[in-house]
């Protein structure tokens, strides 16, 4: 995809954080919340999401483009510009697809569970913020539907009370869907064109589909 041999992220364990993993781009560290259980699939997913070809790559390419005056300064705001945050997460969540790294039934099951749980987190967000229901009431319902225990589910939903991260629950779902729908239609010989277009432009889920069709 991209020549990134000179880039690296050091994995660092942490606890009591409102995330599973976090790309600390300035320090080149990938923070991994050790309070959660992980499968081999989920570690592959987090590596591709936070590092290559996800957030590390996305932010580095934007940094280079801004420095070379090929992109306006505000385009570096892949996180803080809410209109583009869905694509920021969608690019990262499609990392396994981009690398053709879905290797067997365990990965396919992991992918299916990931989609299910992402959808259920959107449901939980509506229950909590839209209907005003407390997390203590929501957790058992989401745990049963997502095939997770109560402790894990409660930890996973803790970020709904976090001022910065709470809105991202929808960015994951909408971003993954928007990018994946186009990715599955891209011919193999056009993948490099698609990546250049995807990483190199500011988009919302809707504009990505509208403008890629014209490229």
């Amino acid at each position: 995809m991209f020549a990134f041999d000179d880039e690296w992220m050091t994995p660092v364990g942490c606890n009591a954080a409102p995330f599973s993993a976090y790309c600390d781009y300035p320090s080149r560290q990938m923070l991994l919340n050790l309070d959660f259980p992980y499968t081999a699939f989920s570690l592959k997913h987090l590596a591709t999401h936070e590092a290559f070809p996800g957030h590390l790559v996305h932010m580095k390419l934007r940094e280079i483009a801004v420095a070379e005056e090929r992109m306006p300064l505000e385009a570096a705001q892949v996180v803080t510009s809410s209109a583009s945050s869905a694509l920021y997460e969608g690019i990262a969540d499609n990392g396994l697809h981009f690398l053709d790294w879905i290797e067997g039934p365990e990965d396919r099951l992991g992918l299916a569970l990931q989609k299910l749980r992402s959808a259920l987190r959107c449901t939980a967000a509506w229950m909590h913020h839209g209907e005003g229901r407390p997390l203590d009431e929501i957790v058992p319902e989401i745990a049963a539907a997502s095939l997770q225990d109560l402790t894990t589910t409660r930890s996973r939903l803790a970020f709904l009370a976090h001022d910065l991260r709470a809105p991202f629950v929808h960015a994951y779902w909408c971003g993954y869907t928007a990018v994946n729908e186009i990715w599955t239609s891209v011919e193999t010989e056009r993948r490099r064109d698609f990546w250049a277009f995807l990483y190199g432009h500011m988009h919302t889920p809707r504009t990505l589909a509208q403008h890629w069709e014209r490229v």
Side-chain angles (χ1 to χ4, degrees):
M1 286 183 66
F2 302 104
F4 261 64
D5 291 349
D6 57 338
E7 290 290 341
W8 176 255
M9 294 197 76
T10 301
V12 177
C14 65
N15 300 95
F19 51 75
S20 300
Y22 179 78
C23 173
D24 186 346
Y25 178 74
S27 68
R28 295 300 195 274
Q29 291 184 338
M30 173 179 161
L31 307 182
L32 183 66
N33 188 346
L34 301 180
D35 294 336
F36 296 156
Y38 296 103
T39 62
F41 166 82
S42 60
L43 289 174
K44 286 171 58 174
H45 165 69
L46 291 175
T48 56
H49 184 106
E50 306 297 342
F52 190 96
H55 295 337
L56 169 67
V57 174
H58 197 175
M59 287 192 276
K60 181 64 176 181
L61 291 174
R62 289 291 176 86
E63 183 180 44
I64 293 171
V66 171
E68 295 178 351
E69 298 185 349
R70 292 185 286 109
M71 186 174 278
L73 181 61
E74 63 267 23
Q77 298 178 349
V78 291
V79 181
T80 57
S81 176
S82 59
S84 66
S85 291
L87 270 294
Y88 177 69
E89 300 300 342
I91 287 172
D93 267 351
N94 277 275
L96 287 169
H97 297 291
F98 292 169
L99 300 183
D100 291 326
W101 202 16
I102 301 168
E103 300 175 292
E106 293 87 355
D107 286 353
R108 289 191 289 273
L109 175 59
L111 208 62
L113 285 172
Q114 179 180 299
K115 293 178 185 177
L116 171 67
R117 290 164 180 169
S118 178
L120 286 167
R121 284 192 287 272
C122 292
T123 300
W126 171 251
M127 289 175 171
H128 184 56
H129 297 294
E131 298 177 344
R133 296 171 60 183
L135 284 178
D136 286 343
E137 182 182 310
I138 296 168
V139 165
E141 294 181 37
I142 300 300
S146 62
L147 307 177
Q148 289 182 305
D149 61 67
L150 292 174
T151 301
T152 300
T153 303
R154 184 178 297 280
S155 296
R156 295 285 187 179
L157 295 181
F159 77 100
L160 292 180
H162 191 274
D163 289 343
L164 173 64
R165 299 193 62 81
F168 273 66
V169 64
H170 304 289
Y172 289 107
W173 175 260
C174 295
Y176 173 82
T177 303
V179 174
N180 192 256
E181 284 181 354
I182 298 178
W183 170 250
T184 55
S185 69
V186 174
E187 301 90 345
T188 301
E189 61 272 14
R190 295 207 66 197
R191 287 183 172 183
R192 289 186 181 275
D193 294 335
F194 176 67
W195 288 325
F197 182 76
L198 179 65
Y199 286 79
H201 295 80
M202 292 286 278
H203 278 301
T204 67
R206 182 174 296 177
T207 61
L208 177 67
Q210 290 173 339
H211 292 282
W212 169 247
E213 293 172 357
R214 302 172 188 171
V215 173

